[in-house]
Amino acid sequence: QVQLVESGGGVVQPGRSLRLSCAASGFTFSRYGMQWVRQAPGKGLEGLTFISSDGRKTLYADSVKGRFTISRDNSKNTLYLQMNSLRVEDTAVYYCAKDINRGCSGDCPVDYWGQGSLVTVSS
Amino acid sequence: SYVLTQAPSVSAAPGQTARISCGGNNIGTKNIHYYQQKPGQAPVLIVYDNSARPSGIPERFSGSNSGNTATLTISRVEAGDEADYYCQVWDSSSDHWVFGGGTKLTVL
């Protein structure tokens, strides 16, 4: 069955960096676009970033553009989120998620989610 | 930027029907998706492309979309349906995902 397992979260000071990983299994990772979605404590969902199956296309929400970078290693079935210049308002649970269909360009919903990784930005 | 509006809360008694609305400008021209999130858990896709259901999602969950309002309908509500429900669309003008603020369904 499809599994997505995030890692790399933790407590970090404002201005510092953190990299999240998402290990995928149970499906052909290289054929699906992937997304990161976050949820601040007690708040709603925010779509952050998308990467196409081959890694050639990426999209970012305005709130993270220029600070966060999504990437993937299809040989390792792993998705990454490099987060730089972190701010207090980036504190959230970060979910990786799989596109429902192959060949999406960022416009597909996601049908599987990881369990989430908590990132806390605090001095 | 595109905005989706959801009522903060909805309630329904077991066996009754709950309707969760999602409002947006000409939302009927977009494909809308819904996620269910229970406390401490990751969201689950329950309806996509307005009215399609992923495998394993009961037929009690259905969707419609027209004009400026989309609606998720939960028939024969059960205690286990108590959760937050989020609507989502793709805003092609900005290449961004847009989520509604979420609606908390309380089963009385």
Side-chain angles (χ1 to χ4, degrees), chain B residues 41-78:
Chain B
Q41 298 184 17
V44 173
L45 180 68
I46 54 172
V47 168
Y48 67 99
D49 292 350
N50 301 318
S51 59
R53 283 185 308 276
S55 61
I57 301 300
E59 292 182 4
R60 300 187 299 106
F61 293 88
S62 62
S64 62
N65 188 12
S66 178
N68 293 318
T69 304
T71 302
L72 171 69
T73 300
I74 308 172
S75 303
R76 302 180 299 283
V77 165
E78 302 175 356

Side-chain angles (χ1 to χ4, degrees), chain A residues 57 59-60 105, chain B residues 90-97:
Chain A
K57 179 177 181 178
L59 297 170
Y60 295 92
S105 299
Chain B
W90 175 254
D91 180 16
S92 56
S93 65
S94 62
D95 268 356
H96 284 162
W97 277 113

Side-chain angles (χ1 to χ4, degrees), chain B:
Chain B
S1 59
Y2 196 78
V3 175
L4 290 175
T5 301
Q6 294 185 250
S9 62
V10 163
S11 61
Q16 299 301 304
T17 298
R19 293 180 177 84
I20 294 171
S21 296
C22 185
N25 186 38
N26 290 322
I27 196 174
T29 63
K30 301 180 182 298
N31 282 325
I32 190 163
H33 322 294
Y34 293 93
Y35 300 88
Q36 176 195 67
Q37 187 180 33
K38 297 180 180 179
Q41 298 184 17
V44 173
L45 180 68
I46 54 172
V47 168
Y48 67 99
D49 292 350
N50 301 318
S51 59
R53 283 185 308 276
S55 61
I57 301 300
E59 292 182 4
R60 300 187 299 106
F61 293 88
S62 62
S64 62
N65 188 12
S66 178
N68 293 318
T69 304
T71 302
L72 171 69
T73 300
I74 308 172
S75 303
R76 302 180 299 283
V77 165
E78 302 175 356
D81 297 334
E82 191 161 278
D84 293 324
Y85 291 83
Y86 295 91
C87 58
Q88 179 197 40
V89 298
W90 175 254
D91 180 16
S92 56
S93 65
S94 62
D95 268 356
H96 284 162
W97 277 113
V98 178
F99 282 95
T103 296
K104 180 176 181 57
L105 171 64
T106 298
V107 180
L108 301 172

Side-chain angles (χ1 to χ4, degrees), chain A residues 6-12 18 20 36 38-42 83 90-95 115-121:
Chain A
E6 300 98 338
S7 60
V11 181
V12 61
L18 205 61
L20 301 181
W36 288 96
R38 71 181 178 185
Q39 186 171 35
M83 303 183 292
D90 293 320
T91 294
V93 174
Y94 286 73
Y95 296 100
Q115 84 287 354
S117 183
L118 177 62
V119 173
T120 303
V121 184

Side-chain angles (χ1 to χ4, degrees), chain A residues 67-79:
Chain A
R67 299 188 300 123
F68 289 13
T69 302
I70 190 172
S71 62
R72 64 191 298 161
D73 186 337
N74 286 344
S75 68
K76 295 182 178 180
N77 289 347
T78 303
L79 177 73

